[in-house]
């Protein structure tokens, strides 16, 4: 039962990583940039929910709606102010800006809320599933997380492939110049991509902080980095790759903590990334692109 329990916990954690990784993989696939402030949007989503549910005694569904809307607006504002002026800048300039935005968001929350750790109790009230005469207990949050991840993956895939906006995203990801000549508003498409990614970050914040209940201004950094690893592992730019990478990474981390050492689990995750990049630099579902010079 220990193995099965660890596997379920790994899939649970990996599902959260997969949802977060979608934000990275969509922004990179369409805008060709890495938004390292994505993890901090998750942290801000956690604080918004915390304030509504615990400090203001608000309704949980209203809190979720407000959090999703707030994170969506935040993503759009960050893209407009920080990234839009850098459309034609070098990748290094964009990367440094993304790191700057990340630290800016962390310090804004640090000034407003302080450095004290908030106890984030689960906002998901679903009964646990008891199996094998009580020897195996699957938490309600785990069930909700895995189902939510699958629904998001299916919904997002259908959105990208079946809607006009989704097809515009595919066109922009292939060639921004050609897409613009075809009448596609590239800036609007990129803004929508940031909005979707930030909304997913808000959803991930409910799931992540319901499972890992410590909330601080730095809480988004590590899950953000691990989700980025998941995106790279699965093939950054690929939606199915984000799912595969997230689940794989979550299972590796939980198994490493269960059977090797909890102190070494994160180091093992990064070691797996290094090995993966040496064996297949494009990730599991990544594709090689030939660049004309």
């Amino acid at each position: 039962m220990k193995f099965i329990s660890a596997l379920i916990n790994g899939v649970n954690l990996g599902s959260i990583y997969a949802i977060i990784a979608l934000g990275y993989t969509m922004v990179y696939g369409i805008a060709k940039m890495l938004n390292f402030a994505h993890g901090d949007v998750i942290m801000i989503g956690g604080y918004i929910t915390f304030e509504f549910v615990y400090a203001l005694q608000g309704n949980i569904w209203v809190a979720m709606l407000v959090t999703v809307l707030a994170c969506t607006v935040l993503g759009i504002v960050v893209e407009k102010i920080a990234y839009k002026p850098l459309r034609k800048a070098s990748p290094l300039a964009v990367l440094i800006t993304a790191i700057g935005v990340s630290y800016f968001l962390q310090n804004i929350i640090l000034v407003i809320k302080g450095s004290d750790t908030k106890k984030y109790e689960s906002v998901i009230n679903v009964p646990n599933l008891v199996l094998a005469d009580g020897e195996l207990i699957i938490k309600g949050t785990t069930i909700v997380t895995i189902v939510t991840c699958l629904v998001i993956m299916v919904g997002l895939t259908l959105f990208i492939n079946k809607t006009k906006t989704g097809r515009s995203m595919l066109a922009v990801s292939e060639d921004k110049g050609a897409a613009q000549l075809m009448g596609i508003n590239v800036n609007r498409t990129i803004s929508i991509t940031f909005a979707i990614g930030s909304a997913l970050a808000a959803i991930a914040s409910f799931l992540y902080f319901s499972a890992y209940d410590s909330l601080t201004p730095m809480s988004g950094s590590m899950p953000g980095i691990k989700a980025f690893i998941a995106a790279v592992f699965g093939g950054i730019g690929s939606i199915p790759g984000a799912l595969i990478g997230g689940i794989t990474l979550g299972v590796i981390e939980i198994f490493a903590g269960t059977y090797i050492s909890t102190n070494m689990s994160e180091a093992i995750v990064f070691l797996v990334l290094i090995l993966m990049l040496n064996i297949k630099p494009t990730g599991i579902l990544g594709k090689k692109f030939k660049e004309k010079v």
Side-chain angles (χ1 to χ4, degrees):
M1 288 301 173
K2 182 180 180 182
F3 175 86
I4 297 175
S5 180
L7 180 62
I8 293 171
N9 290 334
V11 173
N12 173 51
L13 180 59
S15 297
I16 299 173
Y17 288 158
I19 296 172
I20 304 171
L22 280 173
Y24 282 111
T25 208
M26 286 184 66
V27 169
Y28 181 82
I30 294 167
K32 296 298 184 287
M33 61 159 290
L34 296 172
N35 179 23
F36 278 116
H38 191 61
D40 299 293
V41 176
I42 297 167
M43 173 269 296
I44 290 174
Y47 271 97
I48 294 172
T49 304
F50 182 88
E51 289 299 320
F52 264 84
V53 176
Y54 304 118
L56 301 178
Q57 298 296 309
N59 181 277
I60 181 59
W61 297 108
V62 175
M64 287 183 178
L65 179 60
V66 170
T67 302
V68 170
L69 291 175
C71 288
T72 300
V73 171
L74 176 62
I76 294 172
V77 170
V78 166
E79 190 275 329
K80 293 289 186 186
I81 295 175
Y83 301 134
K84 185 178 178 180
L86 301 176
R87 288 279 192 267
K88 298 181 180 179
S90 68
L92 181 59
V94 178
L95 179 62
I96 292 172
T97 300
I99 295 171
V101 172
S102 174
Y103 280 106
F104 175 77
L105 294 176
Q106 288 178 15
N107 282 275
I108 284 292
I109 298 300
L110 189 62
V111 169
I112 295 173
K113 302 303 298 179
S115 60
D116 293 341
T117 300
K118 307 295 184 183
K119 187 69 173 178
Y120 191 108
E121 296 179 9
S122 177
V123 297
I124 302 172
N125 297 316
V126 177
N128 296 337
L129 181 62
V130 181
L131 301 173
D133 295 326
E135 293 185 19
L136 179 62
I137 300 176
I138 303 175
K139 292 182 179 179
T141 53
T142 298
I143 298 170
V144 172
T145 298
I146 295 172
V147 171
T148 301
C149 177
L150 294 175
V151 169
I152 287 174
M153 289 293 170
V154 172
L156 195 57
T157 301
L158 292 174
F159 173 79
I160 294 293
N161 293 315
K162 301 296 183 180
T163 67
K164 182 179 179 180
T165 302
R167 289 193 290 270
S168 296
M169 290 178 175
L170 290 175
V172 172
S173 70
E174 289 293 329
D175 191 317
K176 290 187 181 68
Q180 196 162 15
L181 291 174
M182 293 169 63
I184 295 172
N185 189 325
V186 173
N187 287 328
R188 178 176 173 273
T189 302
I190 292 175
S191 293
I192 291 173
T193 303
F194 269 84
I196 293 172
S198 298
L200 293 176
I203 295 171
S205 73
F206 305 138
L207 303 174
Y208 183 80
F209 292 117
S210 290
Y212 303 90
D213 58 3
S214 296
L215 177 62
T216 72
M218 310 303 166
S219 291
S221 297
M222 190 52 71
I225 291 172
K226 289 178 182 176
F228 171 67
I229 293 173
V232 173
F233 195 89
I236 193 162
S238 168
I239 292 177
L243 176 61
I244 293 172
I247 297 296
T248 303
L249 204 70
V251 170
I252 290 172
E253 182 176 343
I254 294 298
F255 269 80
T258 302
Y259 292 103
I260 301 176
S261 169
T262 54
N263 294 327
M264 289 292 294
S265 61
E266 291 182 353
I268 292 170
V269 166
F270 287 100
L271 177 61
V272 169
L273 174 66
I274 294 170
L275 294 174
M276 182 66 191
L277 291 176
N278 277 278
I279 297 169
K280 198 174 188 299
T282 56
I284 295 172
L285 298 183
K287 298 178 181 179
K288 291 184 178 180
F289 292 95
K290 292 183 179 179
E291 186 176 347
K292 294 180 180 180
V293 295

